[in-house]
Amino acid sequence: MPRLHPDALPDLPADVACPRYRREALRAGIVHLGVGAFHRAHVAVVNEAALQAGGDLCWGTVGVSLRAADTRDALKPQDGLYTLALRDVAGDGSAWESLTIVGNLLDVLVAPEDPRAVLERIAHPDTRIVSLTITEKGYHHDPATGALRQDDADIAHDLLHPGAPRTMPGFIVHALDLRRRRGLMPVTLLSCDNLPANGEMLRGIVLAFAQAVDADLREWIERHCTFPNSMVDRIVPRTTDADRERIGARLGVQDAWPVVGEPFLEWVVEDRFANGQPDWTAGGARFVAHAEPFERLKLRMVNGAHSALAYLGAMAGFRTVDRAMAEPSLRNFIDALMRDEIAPTLPVMEGLDLDGYRMRLLQRFSNAALQHQTRQIAMDGSQKLPQRLLGTVRDRLRSNQPIAGLALAVAGWIHYLRGSDETGAPHDIQDPLAAALAERLAQANTADSMQDRVAFFTGFAPVFGELGGEPRFVAAVASHMELLQARGVLETLASFDARAC
Ligand code: CS2
């Protein structure tokens, strides 16, 4: 089968949407770090809509992979074109899919192959926005406090090697230094990761790194660059070979790396750009003055519930989120967790129908056309739990409210860390802190009582902060751990009492 390529566009089926703007005239106003599936199914798609609506052709994108060459290798022969497949289940239970060819990715740079090219791209006069989806661990921060980990070996490397960095802070700060020295315009640094106050956090990390490089540079960045907070939402499972085959068959050409997502999309961005921005409202984005309430809503409801479902679901042997949702006890638990424990901690937001938001989420999680793997969401728990579940726990402890469901979700993570599900199937613990967590767990398990084990484990400050010293939290997690270990997830859920802790 021939490859997807600009020359193949005229012959694609009529129901496949294709770029209508003059692609050959696009310039790269955006450099995107972390050009994975999420970016290609979210930010790039909204950006594409702005171009399709007649937006300025200065807003093409150069993507950067901070680690692997696979995305570049897949997309280069396709001249950067790829397919977005939006999937859902129709009323009759059959899966449907709409296909769009996305064209605003002009090039993909692979940072380890040529770090200088990445620095020069960020320092290019055309570059006006540097956006990021590098996942939580790409920030090299302490998950509990959000501060840059100065003890991190790669950060130490990047401070010493301005011409060949490895990390996001290294690339951004050293490239901004080039811009400053060359008298170029500042840029907007736009985090699109699932972190609370992601722009503020990115700012803190970039400024801390810059301070260690040169205090004047820090001041230049602080004065001229902006770091808007943003909330991003779309479920994007990992692309499978089955997706590649099905999409290729429909296109009549082979796409080596299409991306698959749900139809739902939200993007709320603070309107603080240092050097202009595309009209992303054409693709459904909203510009607001303060994104933090939206971020909190999303991280706690969508991601908090998602992680709870992933750990408990995976341990009960459910491979996909929709299968886990088809188990009534899990669905009811997730619904109750959102309604009774998470929603009451959220700020009042004008025009938000929180019940409707929750019902919609239950539907989104039940989308069987996505085949979203519970293990994919279970990854990197140490980086995800603080903003997804533990902030909510803290708020509820402070106002003396029950935390039984949240504690069960946290217990689900600890249960998952044992490395095999309840059917005996093993799973890898993929987490940047995996070694430290394994050590902590092994030591915890030498204690006599479950209470002491959980107290020791949750004493791990990089994840739990001070929470390990909260007797109510420890007792609640310990009582669920007893049940999970003795009887498993489904029986624990059957006897779950929301008022118990
Ligand atoms: C998921 C998110 O993998 C995960 O941790 O919870 O990627 C989730 O699908 C998105 O944030 C939804 O917007």
Side-chain angles (χ1 to χ4, degrees):
M1 209 191 273
R3 208 58 186 271
L4 175 62
H5 188 268
D7 299 341
L9 294 181
D11 300 324
L12 294 186
D15 60 351
V16 176
C18 290
R20 293 183 306 269
Y21 51 89
R22 286 193 310 122
R23 228 187 141 230
E24 60 291 352
L26 268 188
R27 295 202 319 278
I30 302 171
V31 176
H32 186 87
L33 306 186
V35 61
F38 183 75
H39 163 258
R40 294 199 285 128
H42 188 280
V43 176
V45 170
V46 175
N47 195 48
E48 185 79 359
L51 292 168
Q52 294 281 48
D56 194 322
L57 294 177
C58 71
W59 293 115
T61 306
V62 168
V64 175
S65 293
L66 288 173
R67 285 174 304 184
D70 47 3
T71 304
R72 190 270 321 272
D73 293 348
L75 300 189
K76 189 112 195 147
Q78 303 177 181
D79 196 29
L81 293 178
Y82 65 89
T83 316
L84 166 74
L86 297 183
R87 292 174 65 75
D88 207 343
V89 177
D92 65 358
S94 63
W96 64 263
E97 176 167 75
S98 74
L99 302 185
T100 303
I101 307 295
V102 180
N104 69 89
L105 194 58
L106 297 172
D107 198 3
V108 176
L109 305 177
V110 181
E113 281 180 10
D114 191 354
R116 176 65 65 182
V118 176
L119 291 167
E120 286 299 333
R121 192 64 241 174
I122 299 175
H124 194 284
D126 280 353
T127 301
R128 297 161 72 178
I129 294 176
V130 178
S131 49
L132 296 81
T133 48
I134 52 177
T135 80
E136 298 86 348
K137 58 180 175 277
Y139 288 75
H140 299 264
H141 67 299
D142 180 67
T145 63
L148 177 68
R149 284 176 50 207
Q150 306 264 8
D151 64 334
D152 182 299
D154 288 327
I155 293 294
H157 169 275
D158 285 7
L159 284 169
L160 292 174
H161 298 90
R166 295 175 182 157
T167 67
M168 172 280 284
F171 279 108
I172 288 187
V173 173
H174 293 309
L176 290 178
D177 199 17
L178 296 177
R179 292 190 78 90
R180 179 181 66 124
R181 288 169 194 277
R182 294 175 188 170
L184 294 171
M185 292 285 284
V187 294
T188 302
L189 296 142
L190 180 57
S191 168
C192 300
D193 280 299
N194 281 320
L195 288 159
N198 51 10
E200 279 304 306
M201 210 190 90
L202 174 62
R203 181 171 178 275
I205 299 245
V206 165
L207 293 182
F209 190 97
Q211 178 70 33
V213 174
D214 171 355
D216 290 345
L217 172 62
R218 180 206 151 104
E219 206 195 307
W220 183 85
I221 297 173
E222 204 168 6
R223 180 163 312 161
H224 300 289
C225 295
T226 58
F227 298 82
N229 293 308
S230 79
M231 177 276 266
V232 293
D233 196 3
R234 169 168 269 173
I235 294 173
V236 181
R238 193 170 288 142
T239 305
T240 64
D241 286 340
D243 295 323
R244 288 185 178 86
E245 266 171 47
R246 190 187 63 247
I247 292 165
R250 202 166 135 203
L251 293 175
V253 292
Q254 190 210 347
D255 180 349
W257 209 334
V259 289
V260 174
E262 62 174 337
F264 183 93
L265 179 142
E266 273 193 349
W267 191 13
V268 179
V269 194
E270 285 178 358
D271 196 358
R272 293 192 283 120
F273 287 77
N275 192 0
Q277 80 257 38
D279 180 12
W280 285 325
T281 59
R286 265 188 292 169
F287 291 110
V288 298
H290 300 289
E292 278 194 61
F294 298 92
E295 288 188 303
R296 178 174 292 222
L297 165 75
K298 193 269 172 169
L299 285 168
R300 292 189 175 188
M301 290 287 276
V302 181
N303 297 112
H306 227 187
S307 287
L309 198 51
Y311 295 121
L312 295 169
M315 286 308 286
F318 297 112
R319 303 186 78 84
T320 62
V321 175
D322 67 286
R323 289 274 179 91
M325 284 295 286
E327 162 57 43
S329 61
L330 255 172
R331 183 191 171 93
N332 291 339
F333 169 71
I334 293 297
D335 190 20
L337 176 71
M338 291 196 282
R339 186 189 56 228
D340 301 336
E341 296 190 26
I342 301 176
T345 69
L346 298 171
V348 176
M349 290 168 68
E350 218 186 293
L352 174 72
D353 165 15
L354 204 45
D355 282 331
Y357 188 89
R358 191 183 83 245
M359 303 309 285
R360 180 103 189 243
L361 253 178
L362 294 173
Q363 253 178 17
R364 292 171 62 198
F365 291 159
S366 305
N367 183 342
L370 290 178
Q371 296 290 297
H372 197 188
Q373 304 288 309
T374 44
R375 285 187 193 173
Q376 186 185 345
I377 303 161
M379 275 173 60
D380 296 346
S382 72
Q383 314 292 298
K384 293 176 174 175
L385 252 65
Q387 59 275 13
R388 295 181 176 208
L389 295 166
L390 303 181
T392 319
V393 168
R394 280 191 186 92
D395 284 356
R396 291 187 65 82
L397 285 177
R398 219 172 284 133
S399 54
N400 213 16
Q401 301 294 317
I403 54 161
L406 293 157
L408 178 50
V410 174
W413 178 53
I414 303 175
H415 193 37
Y416 183 86
L417 289 176
R418 77 179 193 187
S420 59
D421 72 15
E422 292 169 359
T423 73
H427 51 246
D428 281 343
I429 304 303
Q430 296 186 31
D431 194 303
L433 299 183
L437 292 171
E439 201 185 308
R440 193 91 196 170
L441 205 56
Q443 260 181 291
N445 284 339
T446 61
D448 289 338
S449 70
M450 182 59 83
Q451 180 88 15
D452 288 348
R453 282 181 221 160
V454 169
F456 183 78
F457 185 77
T458 56
F460 187 59
V463 173
F464 293 98
E466 81 308 338
L467 269 181
E470 289 284 345
R472 261 187 71 203
F473 175 65
V474 172
V477 175
S479 79
H480 291 314
M481 283 302 299
E482 295 270 15
L483 270 175
L484 286 174
Q485 287 187 357
R487 302 209 215 135
V489 169
L490 295 186
E491 278 197 43
T492 301
L493 288 172
S495 59
F496 176 74
D497 178 356
R499 285 149 311 175
C501 358

